[in-house]
Amino acid sequence: LQRHADIASLNLPRGKRTERKGDDESILKSVRRSRRMVRLKCKQAGVDHLMTLTTREIISRESLKSAFARFTDLLTYHFKRKFEYVCVCEPHPTNPEHLHLHLAIRGRLDAREMVIVRRSWYVALGGSGNEKGAFVPGGFNIRHIKVHGGSARRSHKIASYLAKYITKDIGTDLNKKRYWASRIDLEESKSFWLRALTLDDALAEVMAEFSVSIGDFKNDFFRARNIDLIWMNVLPDI
């Protein structure tokens, strides 16, 4: 945050974008950038469930991506609403060529929706949707994440869980994304005029007006040195 604040204070023009190289340093930067985006999107969506999709046969990453795209289209059609998700791909621990998907989603599925999800995944993998036993083309599992501290803390935990699966070995091609995410519709931001004239007074006014407090000054609060900027991370218990 301080590095970004320093750059912003200089007001420098952005340089021309150069072609990225596939060396180790560039790949590691890409991994870190993808992890940040996964965490951000999970928190924006307010995710509270983890879903895992597996395949019986070993298929390529591109085939898996195509199947997943069809799967999300089917869910959007059957649910009559946009299916929001953040998804990462993970190789099987004992067989790296066998890939499966981890999704972060929001909202609990009822019994009917669970059946729709399972059948849609079978159809996306080329099945009829009615397979049973040894004939099913893949697997489906979903679980609710329980944490103390409210829904925001739950989203944080799921975001960290999902981000850890983004490694250097997944999608080493810099031109291919290491995660897939739907468009997430956010609530319109709100602006407030404060009576305070200094940053210290502004901080005190915000904390008093909205009844919030900073729980962890190391992780939830930041004040830049050479630019008028304060960053707070508030986690309401909702």
Side-chain angles (χ1 to χ4, degrees), residues 39-84:
R39 287 192 289 264
L40 174 63
K41 290 182 178 295
C42 285
K43 295 171 187 178
Q44 287 178 339
V47 297
D48 52 15
H49 283 72
L50 273 174
M51 181 186 296
T52 301
L53 300 174
T54 61
T55 63
R56 181 176 294 276
E57 303 294 334
I58 297 177
I59 61 177
S60 66
R61 188 175 187 271
E62 291 304 317
S63 298
L64 184 61
K65 183 178 180 182
S66 298
F68 180 70
R70 188 182 183 192
F71 169 72
T72 56
D73 288 342
L74 289 170
L75 292 188
T76 299
Y77 172 77
H78 288 295
F79 290 167
K80 308 302 181 184
R81 66 177 186 272
K82 186 176 67 173
F83 180 64
E84 293 186 350

Side-chain angles (χ1 to χ4, degrees), residues 65-221:
K65 183 178 180 182
S66 298
F68 180 70
R70 188 182 183 192
F71 169 72
T72 56
D73 288 342
L74 289 170
L75 292 188
T76 299
Y77 172 77
H78 288 295
F79 290 167
K80 308 302 181 184
R81 66 177 186 272
K82 186 176 67 173
F83 180 64
E84 293 186 350
Y85 63 87
V86 182
C87 175
V88 298
C89 184
E90 183 202 12
H92 193 277
T94 59
N95 187 359
E97 294 183 358
H98 195 177
L99 305 173
H100 54 267
L101 302 175
H102 295 286
L103 287 76
I105 64 173
R106 178 179 60 191
R108 187 181 301 274
L109 301 178
D110 57 30
R112 173 182 170 274
E113 291 173 331
M114 294 278 281
V115 173
I116 291 175
V117 170
R118 182 175 291 105
R119 289 181 175 177
S120 296
W121 182 233
Y122 293 172
V123 171
L125 292 174
S128 65
N130 297 316
E131 291 84 357
K132 295 182 180 180
F135 299 100
V136 298
F140 154 74
N141 180 55
I142 186 170
R143 60 191 178 99
H144 179 66
I145 303 301
K146 297 181 179 180
V147 296
H148 295 288
S151 58
R153 288 295 182 190
R154 181 181 298 110
S155 296
H156 280 214
K157 183 174 181 178
I158 295 176
S160 299
Y161 181 84
L162 217 61
K164 76 177 183 179
Y165 288 115
I166 300 179
T167 64
K168 181 180 176 182
D169 298 329
I170 294 295
T172 55
D173 188 343
L174 289 176
N175 295 320
K176 295 182 179 180
K177 296 188 69 173
R178 302 172 189 274
Y179 65 92
W180 309 320
S182 64
R183 181 184 178 89
I184 299 171
D185 297 326
L186 301 178
E187 294 184 5
E188 185 177 354
S189 61
K190 299 180 181 179
S191 300
F192 301 91
W193 286 100
L194 302 177
R195 294 183 295 272
L197 300 179
T198 66
L199 284 178
D200 290 337
D201 292 341
L203 177 61
E205 183 178 343
V206 168
M207 295 176 67
E209 181 71 20
F210 298 100
S211 301
V212 298
S213 60
I214 305 301
D216 186 347
F217 275 85
K218 182 178 180 181
N219 297 317
D220 294 340
F221 176 81

Side-chain angles (χ1 to χ4, degrees), residues 3-14:
R3 180 170 62 87
H4 287 291
D6 292 340
I7 295 174
S9 65
L10 296 176
N11 196 25
L12 297 175
R14 296 186 64 179

